[in-house]
Amino acid sequence: MLRVRTGLQSFAWNSIGAIIMLSFSAFIVLVITIMSMLLYDKFAQTAERSAELSTKQIVDQVSYNLEDYVRSMSHLYRAIEEHMLRDGTWEGEQVDKQLDTLLSSREDILSITLLDSDGRLLKNRPAAALKPSAHVTQQGWFQSALRVPDHLSFSLPHIQNMYEGPYRWVVSMSKGITVQRNGQEQQVILLVDINFKQMDELSRRVSLGQRGYVYIIDESAGNIVYHPQQQLMYMGLRSENIEQALVATGSYEDEADGQKRLNTVKSVPNIGWKIVGVAYLDEMLTTRQEVGGYMVRVLAVVLVLAVLVSLMLSASLTRPIRRMERKMKAVERGDFNVELPIEGPLEVERVSRRFNLMVHKVRTLMDEIIREQEQKRRLELEALQAQINPHFLYNTLNSVVRMVGMSRNEEVVTMITSLSRLFRISLSKGKTIITVKEELEHAHHYLTIQQMRFKRKFRFTLNADDDTLDCLTLKLLLQPLIENAIVHGIEYDMDEGHIEVRVYREADCLVYRITDNGVGMSEEQLRALAQGYPMARSGAGSGVAVRNVHDRIRLYYGHAYGLEYASELEEGTTVWIRIPVQRAPEEGGAQDDQKKTMA
């Protein structure tokens, strides 16, 4: 190891401090590069926001112009209604003069027409006969006026075809009006044809760069109302992304003919139109591109130097650190059988030694904890299982003595046989886990004994799905719950009791359902039972043994499993036991054990 001694201090060339000193100049270059990129990104974002705001302001101006124009046309309709159609009298020279004055003062209005609901001409200025081929009642503006009366409707641009004369592009505004004529209500249609050039002028007054433009679409049908290249649109030589503009709000970007565009959408109230402003990003961000090119050229040399220095540093510093990182991730995943090689810079060697020592100590402690936890868990399970009602044997033997004294020999044989099989399953050669079939057999013998003790005060049924019989379960889960159903539920009921045990699968859970028709429990007793507090005799499922069953299940299978209760006073109680579905590794061996138990 090469070391240089200066005064009282020792300096190692392979230390991290030396590496940091040698790479300080490269670090400066890196900082300058990062700062330049951040500034460039900030400038680009500011330029984009400015362009977006400018486009939005222009589109808002077009929208305001259209709204202002619509307001003026609404005032025009209101004036005609109030002064010319108020009394249902539209004949006479006075009305003609008023309409002629209106037409002469508004260059944008080409014609004013009044029709009845059957499409017959009532009044028009300039005065002209309707063309027989006009089919007025089939026109969209006519149907809109009848369908939505007292609402100003706007048509799409079209050729005026109602009168003889030059063909001009117009936008038809129509409104259904109810007037009083000769004491009766009459529905009339007021139609005003507007020169399409007015819409064109309102939209051409804006400027969105050299190639940007504004177009208008109909929100209801998605048709083009106005486009600066309207003829090309009708000929199919030009298209727009109408679908995206209909659903968009605010601004969005798209691409047309290989060029990115910024689209800004604005809805025009009371018309049902949308204004779409299209600006080309390459025009708006010319300054950004120029600055970007300049920065790239200036930083080219700096970046080359940074790359060279990074290659040099990766060989001496990055490799051992990354190796250490991989080992640490392995420890995070629980693999404590890892060891770092002692190599690399001086500080890395020291850290590697400390890391190896730490992993060794953690591994030793983990092994000790696992052994202690396994022993503790086994002792807790044995202690909980030992608490399952030991006085049951005493009560059963007392019943046998009484039956012998009463010469009820057949019942004595039945009870002793059930008792022997009950305890044979309870012992299970010291096993904690048995099959569902064995657990149900244990419950059957227990219920038989209790049924005889209580003089057949209740009846019982045991049902299990076929696919559950060979599943594994903790033993002695059913007995405490059945005992509670008898002692706290059915014993105090005057009617005949019924206990049903049902076993079935529910997704990945094995479910025991124990139901009785006893006295039931109140809501307070249910809450106390769920919180683990022992209760008085008046509630089903209130014993300490039931709590032990819940604790055994959670201790063995986890907190996701255990007991659930439902009860109503004078109706009965239902208890569900949920444990995970598990099967014996060797089905044949499990079945042999079951056969031996049943023998």
Side-chain angles (χ1 to χ4, degrees), residues 329-523:
K329 287 183 178 179
V331 173
E332 289 179 1
R333 293 192 297 267
D335 183 9
F336 293 96
N337 298 316
V338 297
E339 187 173 354
L340 278 174
I342 309 301
E343 61 182 26
L346 178 63
E347 290 81 359
V348 174
E349 291 180 1
R350 294 174 178 173
V351 172
S352 298
R353 291 190 183 93
R354 299 297 185 273
F355 177 82
N356 291 338
L357 180 60
M358 178 194 68
V359 171
H360 176 72
K361 291 184 177 180
V362 170
R363 186 164 57 243
T364 302
L365 292 174
M366 289 291 293
D367 293 339
E368 293 179 358
I369 291 173
I370 290 173
R371 287 194 297 270
E372 292 176 357
Q373 289 296 325
E374 288 179 350
Q375 184 178 5
K376 179 181 178 182
R377 184 176 180 181
R378 184 172 60 254
L379 293 175
E380 288 179 346
L381 281 172
E382 292 174 356
L384 289 173
Q385 186 170 315
Q387 296 178 20
I388 302 295
N389 212 347
H391 66 272
F392 167 71
L393 176 60
Y394 174 77
N395 293 334
T396 303
L397 293 177
N398 278 343
S399 298
V400 170
V401 171
R402 289 195 301 270
M403 291 178 183
V404 170
M406 298 171 64
S407 298
R408 294 158 58 185
N409 296 332
E410 292 183 2
E411 294 182 2
V412 169
V413 173
T414 301
M415 181 172 284
I416 293 177
T417 302
S418 296
L419 182 64
S420 64
R421 292 182 179 179
L422 179 76
F423 276 95
R424 183 169 58 182
I425 298 174
S426 298
L427 294 175
S428 302
K429 298 180 181 179
K431 295 188 298 184
T432 305
I433 302 298
I434 60 176
T435 64
V436 172
K437 185 176 182 180
E438 291 172 323
E439 179 69 12
L440 288 176
E441 184 182 359
H442 182 272
H444 179 270
H445 292 310
Y446 178 79
L447 283 165
T448 300
I449 294 171
Q450 294 287 50
Q451 191 180 47
M452 298 176 69
R453 283 187 56 217
F454 285 92
K455 300 178 180 180
R456 303 193 179 275
K457 183 177 175 58
F458 66 91
R459 54 189 175 86
F460 64 89
T461 56
L462 301 174
N463 296 308
D465 295 344
D466 293 338
D467 61 344
T468 63
L469 293 177
D470 60 346
C471 293
L472 299 180
T473 179
L474 276 174
K475 68 180 179 180
L476 301 182
L477 295 182
L478 294 175
Q479 177 184 333
L481 300 175
I482 294 174
E483 181 180 1
N484 264 356
I486 297 172
V487 175
H488 301 290
I490 294 176
E491 183 178 0
Y492 301 102
D493 197 350
M494 301 300 296
D495 299 327
E496 181 188 22
H498 178 236
I499 297 176
E500 179 188 9
V501 179
R502 176 87 169 86
V503 188
Y504 57 92
R505 288 185 59 173
E506 189 178 87
D508 294 332
C509 285
L510 179 68
V511 182
Y512 292 93
R513 187 185 68 198
I514 303 94
T515 305
D516 68 75
N517 62 345
V519 296
M521 289 187 290
S522 64
E523 293 184 2

Side-chain angles (χ1 to χ4, degrees), residues 130-139 141 161-163:
L130 292 177
K131 292 170 60 176
S133 60
H135 301 295
V136 174
T137 58
Q138 299 178 10
Q139 299 280 352
W141 54 263
N161 58 358
M162 291 180 56
Y163 306 109

Side-chain angles (χ1 to χ4, degrees), residues 116-134:
D116 64 7
S117 59
D118 295 326
R120 290 188 293 269
L121 178 65
L122 301 178
K123 171 73 69 175
N124 65 345
R125 305 304 292 175
L130 292 177
K131 292 170 60 176
S133 60

Side-chain angles (χ1 to χ4, degrees), residues 169 224 227 229-239:
W169 280 86
I224 294 289
H227 197 282
Q229 297 177 345
Q230 194 94 357
Q231 299 297 331
L232 296 179
M233 296 291 294
Y234 287 149
M235 295 170 62
L237 300 178
R238 181 67 185 270
S239 63

Side-chain angles (χ1 to χ4, degrees), residues 297-314:
R297 291 191 298 269
V298 170
L299 295 175
V301 178
V302 177
L303 292 177
V304 170
L305 293 176
V307 170
L308 294 176
V309 174
S310 298
L311 292 175
M312 180 185 66
L313 291 176
S314 63

Side-chain angles (χ1 to χ4, degrees), residues 270-338:
N270 303 322
I271 305 180
W273 291 353
K274 272 192 173 183
I275 301 173
V276 183
V278 180
Y280 288 84
L281 291 177
D282 58 349
E283 292 182 359
M284 296 187 298
L285 304 179
T286 302
T287 305
R288 173 185 175 181
Q289 295 175 353
E290 292 176 354
V291 173
Y294 175 76
M295 294 181 67
V296 169
R297 291 191 298 269
V298 170
L299 295 175
V301 178
V302 177
L303 292 177
V304 170
L305 293 176
V307 170
L308 294 176
V309 174
S310 298
L311 292 175
M312 180 185 66
L313 291 176
S314 63
S316 59
L317 182 62
T318 307
R319 189 181 301 111
I321 293 178
R322 288 183 177 177
R323 181 171 58 246
M324 185 181 300
E325 181 184 7
R326 289 194 296 270
K327 299 296 183 181
M328 289 182 177
K329 287 183 178 179
V331 173
E332 289 179 1
R333 293 192 297 267
D335 183 9
F336 293 96
N337 298 316
V338 297

